Amino acid sequence: MKNTRVIFHGELESNIMLKRIYRISEGGSWNILKSGLYMCLFNLATLLPVLLLAMVANEMMKRYFGLTHESMPLWGYWGTAFLLLFAIYFTYRITYRKKYLTSTQEDMRLRMEIADKIRRLPLSYIGRHDLSDLASTVMDDVATVELALSTSVAEFVGGLLSGLTAIVILAFYNRKLAGSLAVCLPLVVIAMSLCRIISEGTNKRNREKKLDISDGIQEYLENIKVLRSSETIKNYQNRLSATIKRVLSGLVLYEFLSGFMISLSHNIMRIGLGLVIVSGSTLLISGEISLFTFLLFLLVAVRIYEPLTKACESLGVMISSLVSAGRIRDLMDYPEQQGSEMLQPESFDISFDHVSFAYNKEDVLHDVSFTAKQGKITALVGPSGCGKSTLCRLAARFWDVNRGSVFLGGININKINPDTLLMNYSFVFQDVVLFNDTIYNNIKIGKESATYEEILTAAKLACCDEFIDRLPQGYNTVIGENGMILSGGERQRLSIARAFLKDAPVILLDESTASIDPENETKIQKAIGRLIKDRTVLIIAHKLRSIVACDKIVVLNEGKLIEVGTHEELMQKGSLYYHLYSLQNESLEWKVK
Ligand code: ADP
């Protein structure tokens, strides 16, 4: 039989809202809504014993006053009590399973989706955001949303629905008393809306301040050596504790405001209970209602406010989760770089065509045009901050150019999928990223499908084998966080081994060997010499002596291309390159007297 399901308009809208606000899956949002409905049934089931109690109290009073001698047999009470117990157990069990299982699954799915999204984001996004901010979205924001989904949404929907259903049913008994029960609800909604407005702003500010603290602590730990050896450590600690104090006052204010609003809502609802007592006794005395009706309303009024109070508290949690949900949405909606996954360039020449680029407002590259030919080595030279690294980032589409174009073999890289493009690039940079894993696995990152022999060959070509052999477990040695047991030169050689394994046609290289001893430097140069053969090579050059044999030298200054040529041509011109080269030669002659 075809599976048909009636969807109410309100149910559909709530489902869409949940999906949109919390970025949860279609199935997840249905399940959360269903858990709200089961919660409503649970709340109504817990109201039924109150009905039974009212009946018992009514009978007892009637018998006491000699109004009746008839009553339900004892087994009737036992049977009803047993049925009610079963209904409460069943509705609670199903609510619990639905909400916790769904929220745990959604939490896992959301974290994976965020991690995958971050991988696909352009580096421009990561460059513009604080890393602790991003980490906090993955950990804290998702945890806040999970809390809202695991309890608050279901309790809000269930509490509100069961409260309203009970009031509507009671209105059939007596409209006046049901009105007394319901009269305070609009006031509660107003109080909670006020709570939303106030707490959202405070919550946002607190979050920003908390990020300041984690940034400050991270910086403190990273620079602890420098700070300990200088006299500024006291000032630094004072600044940090001032930031922490500022957050504390914000947190206290936030807790005070939310606590105040929630207790205000509770008290407003308790006024409803008072109204039922006053109006109920008046109606009872005037004979308008029976004793049973009065008892029923009294007992229901006591019981009904519990789910409604929970609904109010849950609304508070949902409101404060909106800031986190908003941050998750901002991240997930950030546009990704698009492009074709098919790439068949005519060659692997990289051409910059009138490229201008700004990280923020001001251009750091102005109208740069040149071509790095396949099979040739092109060096980028210029004073620090002139834009050499930026050109490499643009060539790899880590950032997209603002004006002009970058081509790979005649294809505008804006039209190539970033992952497809990067399959053709290897990077050998100073800031090598290594994982807390074995040497073997760190090299393997260059090519996931590499065989043991391929990894050994790559390590040999990159001159890694001799230092690996010296390590206690050879290739199986775990190198610690970011390769802390290795020297700078050894780490760079590992990154060259990765590049050998990847065997990509384009190599982007940061040639600096500034912090490396002469033995390591010779080995690195030997390894690089083997690596760059017959590929398109773009080198960020620092030591001009090492690039005199390059096919093309591009000289930059303040983001502008100043001159292009071979070493000899540029030396003859006697312009910026000539001055930089002469300056470096002079510094080589410097010695301690
Ligand atoms: P080089 O590699 O020649 O030393 P860069 O390409 O790193 O120079 O930097 C060029 C300019 O861009 C500099 O003024 C630098 O401050 C700025 N810059 C580099 N990276 C960023 C970034 N992520 N955000 C903002 N500005 C940056």
Side-chain angles (χ1 to χ4, degrees):
M1 204 177 83
K2 205 172 154 194
N3 188 13
T4 50
R5 185 176 179 284
V6 180
I7 299 170
F8 300 109
H9 185 63
E11 197 185 345
L12 188 65
E13 283 208 338
S14 321
N15 184 39
I16 294 170
M17 244 171 70
L18 266 185
K19 255 170 51 190
R20 218 183 44 220
I21 295 176
Y22 290 116
R23 279 312 185 125
I24 52 177
S25 67
E26 174 90 22
S29 66
W30 279 123
N31 278 337
I32 297 282
L33 277 182
K34 273 191 216 158
S35 69
L37 295 179
Y38 285 119
M39 181 61 116
C40 166
L41 290 179
F42 168 73
N43 288 338
L44 291 175
T46 53
L47 271 180
L48 293 177
V50 171
L51 186 69
L52 196 63
L53 197 63
M55 279 168 61
V56 173
N58 185 43
E59 259 179 33
M60 279 170 66
M61 284 202 187
K62 277 185 175 170
R63 284 170 80 113
Y64 183 77
F65 290 112
L67 298 173
T68 182
H69 292 289
E70 288 170 17
S71 66
M72 199 180 4
L74 202 58
W75 62 264
Y77 283 112
W78 275 110
T80 318
F82 183 75
L83 279 178
L84 292 181
L85 211 62
F86 178 73
I88 291 171
Y89 165 76
F90 178 74
T91 48
Y92 183 74
R93 188 168 177 265
I94 200 157
T95 310
Y96 184 86
R97 283 174 69 108
K98 275 258 176 284
K99 65 181 186 181
Y100 286 113
L101 275 181
T102 309
S103 64
T104 313
Q105 280 163 0
E106 287 301 316
D107 172 74
M108 261 162 46
R109 192 195 54 79
L110 201 56
R111 277 184 214 273
M112 292 307 291
E113 269 187 17
I114 291 177
D116 191 49
K117 176 75 186 185
I118 291 176
R119 183 185 68 78
R120 285 181 281 118
L121 281 175
L123 279 196
S124 53
Y125 181 91
I126 293 164
R128 284 193 190 109
H129 288 75
D130 196 337
L131 274 187
S132 3
D133 197 18
L134 273 178
S136 139
T137 298
V138 182
M139 303 307 295
D140 305 343
D141 290 337
V142 178
T144 311
V145 163
E146 199 229 336
L147 177 72
L149 291 176
S150 63
T151 39
S152 310
V153 178
E155 268 175 9
F156 174 72
V157 174
L160 203 66
L161 274 184
S162 54
L164 292 178
T165 314
I167 289 173
V168 169
I169 294 172
L170 288 174
F172 287 106
Y173 254 106
N174 190 292
R175 278 197 200 153
K176 283 184 193 159
L177 281 180
S180 310
L181 261 181
V183 77
C184 299
L185 289 182
L187 295 177
V188 174
V189 173
I190 294 171
M192 291 314 289
S193 309
L194 269 178
C195 166
R196 177 200 162 127
I197 295 164
I198 299 170
S199 65
E200 217 176 87
T202 325
N203 197 6
K204 222 175 201 164
R205 281 193 297 280
N206 282 345
R207 229 188 153 283
E208 281 155 16
K209 285 187 204 154
K210 273 191 204 161
L211 278 178
D212 283 349
I213 296 185
S214 51
D215 278 350
I217 291 175
Q218 196 176 338
E219 191 182 60
Y220 180 73
L221 293 176
E222 277 169 6
N223 300 315
I224 192 84
K225 279 190 214 147
V226 181
L227 286 170
R228 280 176 70 172
S229 60
S230 80
E231 286 170 2
T232 55
I233 191 155
K234 264 271 156 276
N235 294 343
Y236 197 90
Q237 283 172 336
N238 288 344
R239 268 210 317 275
L240 202 59
S241 78
T243 320
I244 294 172
K245 274 185 195 144
R246 274 204 304 280
V247 177
L248 276 184
S249 58
L251 285 177
V252 170
L253 179 69
Y254 174 70
E255 291 301 330
F256 170 75
L257 286 175
S258 357
F260 177 73
M261 286 301 170
I262 287 171
S263 64
L264 185 68
S265 319
H266 286 193
N267 289 323
I268 294 172
M269 281 200 270
R270 277 183 199 127
I271 296 174
L273 181 61
L275 283 178
V276 172
I277 297 174
V278 173
S279 54
S281 357
T282 318
L283 293 173
L284 184 66
I285 292 165
S286 67
E288 227 180 283
I289 57 167
S290 66
L291 182 66
F292 172 71
T293 312
F294 179 58
L295 280 175
L296 180 69
F297 270 90
L298 216 54
L299 290 171
V300 169
V302 174
R303 182 66 195 86
I304 203 175
Y305 285 128
E306 198 185 310
L308 282 174
T309 308
K310 273 198 181 152
C312 285
E313 284 169 6
S314 304
L315 186 62
V317 178
M318 280 161 67
I319 287 165
S320 45
S321 76
L322 290 182
V323 176
S324 296
R327 287 162 46 82
I328 294 174
R329 277 200 311 278
D330 286 349
L331 175 78
M332 297 303 277
D333 292 341
Y334 196 86
E336 289 169 25
Q337 292 170 307
Q338 303 295 330
S340 160
E341 287 177 16
M342 287 288 294
L343 176 64
Q344 282 167 332
E346 298 158 3
S347 66
F348 286 97
D349 292 354
I350 298 178
S351 302
F352 291 84
D353 183 26
H354 299 286
V355 167
S356 295
F357 175 74
Y359 285 104
N360 299 307
K361 277 190 189 129
E362 274 189 27
D363 278 2
V364 295
L365 286 176
H366 310 269
D367 199 26
V368 175
S369 300
F370 72 92
T371 297
K373 285 255 171 221
Q374 179 175 359
K376 306 275 180 209
I377 303 170
T378 306
L380 301 173
V381 172
S384 178
C386 68
K388 303 181 291 288
S389 311
T390 306
L391 273 174
C392 284
R393 286 176 202 143
L394 295 180
R397 218 188 155 192
F398 286 158
W399 298 66
D400 280 327
V401 297
N402 298 121
R403 287 184 299 285
S405 314
V406 182
F407 296 95
L408 177 71
I411 303 172
N412 192 329
I413 62 167
N414 273 349
K415 306 223 162 16
I416 307 172
N417 177 291
D419 289 344
T420 312
L421 183 73
L422 289 182
M423 303 276 272
N424 296 284
Y425 287 62
S426 280
F427 302 90
V428 182
F429 281 180
Q430 286 177 75
D431 46 352
V432 187
V433 176
L434 296 173
F435 294 90
N436 190 2
D437 202 342
T438 59
I439 296 255
Y440 183 86
N441 286 338
N442 265 290
I443 300 178
K444 201 170 178 226
I445 283 170
K447 184 178 162 192
E448 220 15 71
S449 59
T451 61
Y452 181 73
E453 281 71 33
E454 281 178 312
I455 289 172
L456 253 56
T457 313
K460 244 191 200 109
L461 286 168
C463 304
C464 291
D465 50 340
E466 48 85 19
F467 83 79
I468 295 174
D469 287 344
R470 266 191 278 118
L471 291 170
Q473 271 111 26
Y475 282 83
N476 292 323
T477 311
V478 176
I479 57 174
E481 203 169 315
N482 208 17
M484 76 189 173
I485 66 159
L486 303 177
S487 74
E490 289 165 349
R491 286 159 39 163
Q492 202 161 2
R493 278 188 270 161
L494 269 193
S495 82
I496 298 173
R498 275 182 191 165
F500 268 116
L501 206 58
K502 186 165 179 187
D503 196 23
V506 180
I507 291 175
L508 303 183
L509 190 91
D510 190 336
E511 156 274 3
S512 176
T513 47
S515 59
I516 288 165
D517 58 274
E519 191 197 333
N520 255 315
E521 186 174 341
T522 320
K523 284 187 178 138
I524 288 169
Q525 279 172 355
K526 202 163 128 194
I528 287 177
R530 287 177 190 150
L531 176 71
I532 61 183
K533 243 182 175 174
D534 303 325
R535 298 167 207 258
T536 310
V537 183
L538 205 56
I539 300 186
I540 299 173
H542 299 275
K543 293 188 175 172
L544 301 188
R545 265 181 317 128
S546 56
I547 52 142
V548 288
C550 279
D551 302 289
K552 187 188 258 181
I553 298 170
V554 176
V555 187
L556 298 157
N557 194 19
E558 293 179 358
K560 295 192 188 99
L561 192 151
I562 304 291
E563 49 190 348
V564 180
T566 59
H567 172 73
E568 288 73 27
E569 286 164 356
L570 295 173
M571 287 303 279
Q572 270 171 18
K573 270 194 187 167
S575 190
L576 180 61
Y577 179 80
Y578 173 83
H579 286 296
L580 290 171
Y581 191 80
S582 313
L583 221 66
Q584 279 201 356
N585 269 350
E586 270 174 38
S587 67
L588 279 178
E589 281 156 24
W590 181 88
K591 45 176 124 52
V592 182
K593 291 199 175 140

